[in-house]
Amino acid sequence: MRGTVCLVTGATGGIGYETALGLARLGARVAIVGRDAGKLQACADRMRAAVPGSAVEPHCADLSAQAEIRRLAETLRAAYPRLDVLVNNAGAIFDRRTLTADGIERTWALDHLGYVLLTLELLDPLRQAAAAGGRPRIVNVASAAHYRGNIDFDDIEGARRYRAMGAYAQAKLGNVLFTYALARRLRDSGITVNAVHPGVVNTGFAKNTGGLFGAAWALMRPFLITPETGARTSLRVASAPDLDGVTGRYFSHGQPKVSSAESRDEAVQERLWALSLQQVGRSD
């Protein structure tokens, strides 16, 4: 990975941190994104200490807010005219329905629309990497939760009925649908797009979630895999030479796997693509 530029969102802990650290160990210049400036800087310092001589560069943004995503993307395009790897990893689950500054339900805004808008805003530096002979990759961290999700086009933001896990599963299904729709559009560009399931990982996920779901997750946490293990699939899909040119796939435990039937429905992919572009104010 020497000579490559990689960007990892949600990199201040868990899978995102371990993915960014792994890319730094492979010799990449790594940009990391988080919403807490102090925590972000501390994580960058830890990575540099763990990998002496590494180039780890922090960028602060709240990826649930579209204005912040656009501001971040402008900064990134100026700092990195060429981008070789984009790992969309930032995400969370929320036990109560809340709206972002854009008036969008927060799970959908962060876990799905954040991937869509940041990726589209960074296509130019990804195309520059392809034009320079690189093999740029987009890695969307989804979840096996997508198998339990469905896209409720009549109530996609849970205004009538909100359930934390239902909203999360729908957003993760959105990640896989977006992956397939984007891969189709970029097929001849030299840019690959894949989705990954990292496993059920012991991270900060759901720590601020109350109710029965939060209690159940707390009981499960000691039995979950480590973030380092969970990052292996993201790292493999971001860097493995044998995956050059592999696109439009869903990976679990490092290997391609068949995703849900709904995720493979091209009509649903296209309908969600159109809705997502409308919600982020794009016309790609």
Side-chain angles (χ1 to χ4, degrees), residues 7 17 56 60 96 115 123 169 236 255 279:
L7 173 68
Y17 178 89
V56 179
C60 191
R96 291 181 177 85
Y115 284 27
L123 282 181
R236 170 164 163 68
Q255 299 300 320
Q279 288 187 297

Side-chain angles (χ1 to χ4, degrees), residues 160-249:
R160 292 199 295 269
R161 184 188 183 209
Y162 180 82
R163 296 176 297 110
M165 194 61 205
Y168 179 76
Q170 176 182 248
K172 294 292 105 180
L173 174 57
N175 297 158
V176 184
L177 290 160
F178 170 61
T179 295
Y180 295 158
L182 184 60
R184 194 159 49 248
R185 286 163 170 81
L186 296 178
R187 183 155 287 134
D188 298 323
S189 69
I191 303 169
T192 61
V193 192
N194 293 290
V196 304
H197 167 56
V200 186
V201 183
N202 186 354
T203 67
F205 180 80
K207 279 191 175 178
N208 296 319
T209 303
L212 289 174
F213 178 79
W217 198 265
L219 290 172
M220 289 169 56
R221 191 166 283 117
F223 304 100
L224 306 182
I225 65 174
T226 66
E228 183 177 6
T229 300
R232 288 176 184 167
T233 299
S234 297
L235 270 172
R236 170 164 163 68
V237 177
S239 64
D242 64 293
L243 295 180
D244 280 349
V246 175
T247 193
R249 303 298 299 271

Side-chain angles (χ1 to χ4, degrees), residues 56-123:
V56 179
E57 299 158 5
H59 298 272
C60 191
D62 177 355
L63 298 181
S64 71
Q66 293 181 18
E68 289 217 25
I69 294 174
R70 290 189 172 91
R71 174 194 58 76
L72 171 67
E74 184 176 7
T75 299
L76 294 171
R77 288 192 300 266
Y80 314 109
R82 166 181 173 155
L83 180 62
D84 296 275
V85 175
L86 167 61
V87 181
N88 286 307
N89 170 81
I93 188 168
F94 304 98
D95 58 349
R96 291 181 177 85
R97 184 179 186 272
T98 60
L99 302 182
T100 67
D102 303 296
I104 298 172
E105 188 277 313
R106 190 171 299 278
T107 310
W108 186 248
L110 174 62
D111 292 23
H112 171 65
L113 294 179
Y115 284 27
V116 173
L117 183 55
L118 184 61
T119 300
L120 296 179
E121 290 280 329
L122 294 178
L123 282 181

